[in-house]
Amino acid sequence: MSLMGTLGKVAMGVIVAKGVGKMMGGSGSSSGGGLGGLLGSLTGGNSSNSGSTGGGLGGLLGGLAGNSGSGGGLGGILDSLGGSNNSQSGGGLGDLLNNALNGNDPEASTEQDNQAEVMLRAMISAAKSDGVLDDEEKRKITEHLGDATPEEIAFVRQELESPLDTQGLIQSVPRGMEEQVYFMALLAIDLDSNHEAKFLDELAKGLNISNQACNQIHEKLGAPALYS
């Protein structure tokens, strides 16, 4: 398994650990804010078809994964934020992510696996940013690793146990991936605490993402704007 495959599994684990109810608009807000708005937008607004596909967690994860090669789902948004890294051979990071979210083990280049490692760190850092990543949340994240190699499992567990190091994460981001890394971090956040908002603000500023660009990423996920 590649780290891109591991990224997909950790993404699923983080989504489950942070609470599917919250992501599906469990706050009861009529504005469709938070990550609840993400789910409708990622499926192309086709909630009217939910009767035939089924709801709940299965329908949710299917919408997040999109269709491989279709440019939809989380991968489609990821590619829309990318810089020069999307000119690589193959379907780009987004297509690889969609494949991983669909339970496949995509063939990634060494460079793409290195990029997946940074996005993994971003997701896990974000999940820790509210200071309440407890043992049960860690278990939910790691139990989705499935057939990941012992080295990959050890990497994820080490990241979960290590102290939050936002500046270290910032310094590890390759040029051109700033918005993609921010996007993956935002995906792992409920954005319902000052700790999370401060983490995102530090990350955005450290990656030189403008307030406007930051808010646009939030809009893509249906998340509340960070800046007024």
Side-chain angles (χ1 to χ4, degrees):
M1 168 172 277
S2 67
L3 277 175
M4 182 60 70
T6 303
L7 174 64
K9 292 181 180 297
V10 169
M12 290 298 189
V14 167
I15 289 165
V16 173
K18 299 306 287 187
V20 173
K22 290 182 180 180
M23 294 186 65
M24 298 184 74
S27 63
S29 171
S30 60
S31 65
L35 289 182
L38 152 70
L39 301 178
S41 63
L42 287 180
T43 57
N46 60 353
S47 58
S48 61
N49 296 328
S50 60
S52 59
T53 59
L57 182 57
L60 158 65
L61 299 183
L64 290 172
N67 296 315
S68 299
S70 68
L74 287 179
I77 300 178
L78 186 69
D79 274 348
S80 74
L81 297 170
S84 58
N85 57 73
N86 282 333
S87 63
Q88 301 174 42
S89 60
L93 289 176
D95 197 36
L96 292 172
L97 177 61
N98 278 348
N99 266 288
L101 289 169
N102 275 308
N104 301 319
D105 187 12
E107 293 185 13
S109 68
T110 301
E111 182 179 3
Q112 288 168 331
D113 257 352
N114 290 338
Q115 292 166 340
E117 179 179 328
V118 176
M119 290 190 287
L120 268 169
R121 285 201 168 101
M123 289 201 77
I124 295 173
S125 295
K128 295 189 292 188
S129 66
D130 62 359
V132 292
L133 188 64
D134 57 27
D135 289 341
E136 177 63 13
E137 287 177 318
K138 292 176 184 177
R139 183 190 65 78
K140 288 179 180 178
I141 292 172
T142 55
E143 74 180 2
H144 287 77
L145 292 176
D147 57 351
T149 66
E151 292 80 8
E152 289 160 352
I153 293 173
F155 169 79
V156 172
R157 287 178 173 164
Q158 179 179 343
E159 288 298 314
L160 286 169
E161 296 296 336
S162 62
L164 179 62
D165 181 10
T166 308
Q167 287 303 312
L169 171 64
I170 290 168
Q171 292 168 12
S172 73
V173 176
R175 185 181 298 274
M177 283 195 66
E178 292 85 358
E179 292 190 6
Q180 290 177 314
V181 168
Y182 185 91
F183 166 81
M184 295 303 291
L186 179 59
L187 178 64
I189 276 182
D190 296 325
L191 198 48
D192 57 4
S193 75
N194 287 334
H195 291 295
E196 292 171 332
K198 288 178 179 178
F199 166 78
L200 289 175
D201 176 62
E202 182 179 356
L203 185 61
K205 286 181 168 57
L207 295 175
N208 294 316
I209 300 174
S210 69
N211 291 4
Q212 180 182 7
C214 179
N215 283 345
Q216 287 173 346
I217 296 172
H218 283 237
E219 185 177 358
K220 288 178 184 291
L221 288 180
L226 192 63
Y227 304 108
S228 58

